[in-house]
Amino acid sequence: MRSSNRKAKNDGKDKLRHNCLDIKCRLHSTLESNRTMKKILDAFSFFVLLLAFVIMIYYAYMSFFPFEIIRYTNQDQEGVGIYQILTPTVKRGESIRYISDFEKLMDIGGEMSCYFQDGLIHQLPDRSSNNPVGYHYEVRSIEVPLSLNTGEYIYTCTVRYKLTMGRVIDYTFKTEPFIVE
């Protein structure tokens, strides 16, 4: 009887050992998967921080780098392009002619807002400006509106270029003064 009792005790201890090993294995497996998950989360967190840093550097570059889109051949101290006028005197309804002389350095389209200025501003409809990259020396003309009074005027345009990240760069050019009769 003793031997059968001992065997029964040993079977109980074996089952207990087996259960303990099974629990340890499960615990070990759970801990391993937790460690693996932690490593994955750490790597993902590092990647997100690195990506955020790169985006901040790119934003700072786009915000503060002095992009030069247009370079005028003739300009004043403020960087405003000065275009030579070929028709110093015109009548209302006729066209003024001027020499457009500039170099476009980047392939970016812009919006151009032009007006006649004589103390008052006589606005013209906006239009797009998408000159190709390169040097431009052209004779251009613009019709003088019939609504302009007689007097001395300057034809002025502002070209607005929108870059990524919300940055806007404006360039302005104007003609020499001309007279409307």
Side-chain angles (χ1 to χ4, degrees), residues 93-107:
E94 293 181 353
S95 294
I96 60 166
R97 292 179 28 184
Y98 62 93
I99 297 175
S100 175
D101 188 9
F102 67 95
E103 182 178 7
K104 186 163 182 189
L105 305 170
M106 297 176 75
D107 189 21

Side-chain angles (χ1 to χ4, degrees), residues 128-140:
S128 65
S129 170
N130 37 354
N131 293 310
V133 173
Y135 183 70
H136 298 270
Y137 184 86
E138 306 160 346
V139 175
R140 295 188 180 185

Side-chain angles (χ1 to χ4, degrees), residues 43-80:
F44 181 73
S45 299
F46 179 74
F47 175 74
V48 168
L49 287 174
L50 184 64
L51 183 64
F53 182 72
V54 168
I55 289 172
M56 285 186 346
I57 295 296
Y58 179 71
Y59 180 75
Y61 171 75
M62 291 303 289
S63 296
F64 300 114
F65 186 78
F67 289 101
E68 187 175 23
I69 300 170
I70 291 179
R71 184 179 304 139
Y72 295 112
T73 304
N74 298 323
Q75 58 186 2
D76 61 10
Q77 295 86 4
E78 297 162 357
V80 174

Side-chain angles (χ1 to χ4, degrees), residues 157-176:
C157 289
T158 300
V159 185
R160 175 167 282 194
Y161 295 99
K162 293 181 181 177
L163 302 176
T164 58
M165 299 287 194
R167 183 168 176 195
V168 175
I169 299 177
D170 290 336
Y171 286 92
T172 302
F173 69 84
K174 61 185 178 181
T175 64
E176 298 169 331

